[in-house]
Each structure stands twice: as C-alpha cells, then as structure tokens.
Amino acid sequence: SQKIEQNSEALNIQEGKTATLTCNYTNYSPAYLQWYRQDPGRGPVFLLLIRENEKEKRKERLKVTFDTTLKQSLFHITASQPADSATYLCALVPPGYSTLTFGKGTMLLVSP
Amino acid sequence: EPEVTQTPSHQVTQMGQEVILRCVPISNHLYFYWYRQILGQKVEFLVSFYNNEISEKSEIFDDQFSVERPDGSNFTLKIRSTKLEDSAMYFCASSTQGQAYEQYFGPGTRLTVT
C-alpha cells in the first residue's frame, strides 16, 4: 500500500525566512499530489495541486515541486509570517485508486 | 465564499448509541466525502459518494457506518452502534470532480464516545 512520510518533528523558523517541508512516498507514483493546511481543531484547507508531468507549481508565496524519480514533493513558503504557523498535509491518489491518502503532516512554527 | 458546513460541532454519546452527523456540501459540487481524524493521527478516508451512491469506501467503513443524501442539500453519516474507538473528529468534504482534485472540507464534528 502507499505510504506517505512527512517530517514528524515541528519545523521552527523565523519570520521572513523560507520554510521547506518534505513529503516522501513509497511504491507507486501518484498522478496528482496535493498540499493542505490544517489549523488546530479545523478541517484541512486546500493549497496546491501538482500533476506528475509538472515539475513545479506556484501560487503567491507558495511553491510546490514534484520529483517522481526521488518520489518526493517539496513545499516552500517564502517570506514566511507567523500567520503561516499550522500543520501542512501532503495527500495523494495512487494510480489505479480513487481515494485520497494523507500524510500525518508537519507542523510549521514561524516566530516573529 | 461558499463553504461546507457541519452540525453539530461536538457530539457526546454513550457506547452502543446511534449517531448521525450532518453536512451541507457546497451547492454545485457533485462529489461528497467523509473523513475522520483520531486525535494526533492523520486524516483517514472513510467513504466517497457520487450520483447518489457510494463510489469508494475504506476498510474503516464497515457495516456500522452508512451515508445518505436525504435531500438536495444534506449529506449524513450514521454510526449505528458507536464504540469507544469511534471517538474522533469527522470531516465532510466536497468537490466538483473526483478525489484527485481539490476538496473543500467542513469544520468537522468532534465525536466523543463514553
């Protein structure tokens, strides 16, 4: 079965720096990979989707890369702000399946 | 901006009781989902619903669970006989296309089984 690994330790960075979060997966390469933000006690909020034939996707201060050879996606937040503090979830649909599988998420803490 | 809503926000029930969790998906969305998240754990898929029938379900979604779209707006999850291990946050989500595409999640219902 598909396994998704995200850094379990919280990432602490200073305001203004770039945060980089990692999502690694095993077995099959997904056709799509998604990133969500989750605040405590709230539902996930969709941020970005990247397809297997795309290397990079950007949206404002967010950037996602997708390396199917390494079986890895990187999620970057540039010019980070304290309001970016949250847990970021990686999710994918393995080929041949239609159900979304989430990683456990990485907590990001941005200090002023 | 349209959003998914869920009621109640918190439900406390005794083991063995039936509960119904309610969701109102975004009005022009066609695909509906239920997920759960046990405290400190990852978000887990339960079931997807399209064209008035279940399209996919996980191993978690056993005979104790059922879903229904009783009218044009509500989408419900019923747990027939709750167990302690059903305690979790339950999220409803909806999308215009299938699971590979962006999903919009509700705020969740925290279910506590005592």
Side-chain angles (χ1 to χ4, degrees):
Chain A
S1 63
Q2 190 70 273
K3 193 174 176 184
I4 301 170
E5 293 172 350
Q6 297 186 255
N7 287 351
S8 56
E9 289 182 17
L11 178 64
N12 286 275
I13 64 167
Q14 260 197 318
E15 183 175 9
K17 302 289 186 187
T18 296
T20 299
L21 288 76
T22 306
C23 173
N24 294 300
Y25 56 91
T26 60
N27 298 334
Y28 307 106
S29 282
Y32 305 85
L33 192 144
Q34 306 180 28
W35 284 88
Y36 287 79
R37 168 185 172 140
Q38 187 175 29
D39 291 285
R42 307 296 299 272
V45 175
F46 174 80
L47 296 174
L48 279 169
L49 179 153
I50 189 165
R51 294 175 171 78
E52 63 177 341
N53 60 350
E54 296 175 318
K55 296 290 184 193
E56 184 179 296
K57 201 82 169 275
R58 290 176 186 261
K59 180 182 173 184
E60 297 172 352
R61 293 184 296 112
L62 309 180
K63 183 177 89 171
V64 172
T65 62
F66 194 9
D67 189 326
T68 54
T69 303
L70 293 178
K71 295 188 189 295
Q72 182 181 79
S73 175
L74 298 179
F75 178 80
H76 307 271
I77 305 175
T78 58
S80 59
Q81 304 164 0
D84 295 327
S85 298
T87 296
Y88 290 86
L89 312 177
C90 168
L92 53 85
V93 177
Y97 292 84
S98 57
T99 60
L100 195 60
T101 301
F102 281 87
K104 203 171 171 184
T106 299
M107 183 183 292
L108 173 66
L109 298 169
V110 182
S111 52
Chain B
E1 188 172 323
E3 57 184 21
V4 176
T5 59
Q6 290 185 243
T7 54
S9 57
H10 192 188
Q11 174 92 47
V12 181
T13 189
Q14 286 193 322
M15 198 167 52
Q17 295 297 303
E18 174 183 287
V19 293
I20 296 176
L21 310 183
R22 291 183 166 79
C23 168
V24 178
I26 294 173
S27 61
N28 64 337
H29 285 187
L30 302 175
Y31 295 79
F32 314 116
Y33 316 91
W34 283 101
Y35 293 85
R36 79 170 186 191
Q37 187 173 31
I38 295 169
L39 190 64
Q41 302 297 313
K42 63 180 181 178
V43 176
E44 298 177 290
F45 168 77
L46 292 178
V47 65
S48 60
F49 193 85
Y50 170 70
N51 202 26
N52 283 318
E53 60 182 27
I54 290 174
S55 47
E56 296 283 343
K57 60 182 180 179
S58 72
E59 291 174 353
I60 303 168
F61 194 89
D62 61 22
D63 292 343
Q64 292 299 312
F65 291 87
S66 62
V67 289
E68 197 177 36
R69 188 154 162 82
D71 52 45
S73 59
N74 290 284
F75 180 49
T76 62
L77 174 70
K78 182 194 288 187
I79 309 175
R80 263 179 270 281
S81 178
T82 50
K83 307 183 189 72
L84 293 176
E85 53 265 36
D86 293 328
S87 295
M89 193 76 148
Y90 287 80
F91 295 109
C92 173
S94 68
S95 65
T96 54
Q97 303 182 69
Q99 284 205 56
Y101 298 86
E102 61 188 274
Q103 297 183 33
Y104 293 82
F105 283 75
T109 293
R110 179 166 299 285
L111 177 66
T112 303
V113 183
T114 61

